[in-house]
Amino acid sequence: MATDVHRPIDTRSAVRVEGLTRSFDGRPVIDDLQLDLKKGEFVALIGRSGCGKSTLLRILAGLDRDIEGTVLVPRRKAVAFQAPRLMPWKKVWRNVLLGLPGKPERAVAEQALTEVGLSHRSDAWPKTLSGGEAQRASLARALVREPDLLLLDEPFGALDALTRIKAQRLVGELWQRRGCAVLLVTHDVEEAVLLADRVLVMDDGVIAHEQEIGLDRPRDITDPRFAALRAGLLERLGVDTAAEAA
Ligand SMILES: Nc1ncnc2c1ncn2[C@@H]1O[C@H](COP(=O)(O)OP(=O)(O)O)[C@@H](O)[C@H]1O
Ligand SMILES: [Mg+2]
């Protein structure tokens, strides 16, 4: 049964999901799931591969409406995926404006590109961008939508370690400046603890566990409390941290 995606009625929340079920070939991947995000909250979603994280994100983005249950999301939302999905025949700034309603001016793209530190590549062709630059372009494309909800599906997954750290920092800054709610899907527990107010663990089609991250920002990964939160979440994922450290 198809259900419409609506705006939240409660202005304090950015997402409200109740009794959400999504099946493929009769098998429920999401099974009576509940989820709430506060306005401006940064939430990370982790869980083993294939547990339904991307499926949930696509539903929140309005890309998959073949669902049962209630999904309330803001009208202004944007999504960025692991693969930046840039059109190779359009210059970077045109990619940033792609799909925006009306005839937005180039200045709109330039402003978003400046925000992600990519204004110098505005006239470049996508194939000439590095992985980190392409991901910044993808973020700029999300920002021009001025989202109240930013959905990120493993956006740093394909980046090398140093570029990844820079991109994580950038997302943290953008979130603090913009004040939008963020739902970040990641397979990286450290990234989740570094960035999020709250980390959700998805399993068996539901949010099986949640962990508040009450640490001040910017966070220090050498803080023992950081390590303890990370270890606790890894345990939830079924990763043996003792074996990992050995
Ligand atoms: N369009 C689809 N058709 C059939 N099965 C799908 C489809 N999309 C996802 N699935 C299945 O749903 C499960 C969850 O997938 P996904 O949400 O991509 O997992 P995750 O992002 O957590 O790795 C997987 O078993 C996947 O094979
Ligand atoms: Mg996925």
Side-chain angles (χ1 to χ4, degrees), residues 49-50 52-55 153-154 185:
S49 180
K53 303 182 295 297
S54 294
T55 301
D153 195 351
E154 307 211 24
V185 169

Side-chain angles (χ1 to χ4, degrees), residues 82-101:
Q82 178 172 347
R85 301 189 181 184
L86 303 174
M87 300 296 166
W89 57 87
K90 286 185 184 288
K91 287 185 170 179
V92 166
W93 72 270
R94 289 193 184 278
N95 262 287
V96 169
L97 297 181
L98 210 67
L100 271 190

Side-chain angles (χ1 to χ4, degrees), residues 1-5 20-25 55 58-59 62-69:
M1 186 183 74
T3 311
D4 263 341
V5 178
L20 175 65
T21 297
R22 173 63 162 112
S23 303
F24 294 111
D25 311 318
T55 301
R58 287 175 49 78
I59 291 168
L63 299 170
D64 177 359
R65 302 203 172 201
D66 197 5
I67 56 171
E68 286 173 64

Side-chain angles (χ1 to χ4, degrees), residues 107-169:
V108 173
E110 295 293 350
Q111 199 206 329
L113 285 166
T114 301
E115 215 175 327
V116 299
L118 203 64
S119 54
H120 61 296
R121 304 291 273 144
S122 174
D123 261 319
W125 297 103
K127 68 173 188 310
T128 68
L129 300 182
S130 69
E133 287 175 336
Q135 200 49 264
R136 280 168 193 260
S138 173
L139 273 176
R141 190 170 50 188
L143 292 178
V144 294
R145 282 160 177 73
E146 300 189 1
D148 292 319
L149 174 64
L150 181 57
L151 301 161
L152 303 172
D153 195 351
E154 307 211 24
F156 320 123
L159 304 178
D160 64 82
L162 185 61
T163 310
R164 186 181 178 96
I165 289 167
K166 286 185 186 161
Q168 287 168 344
R169 200 171 296 159

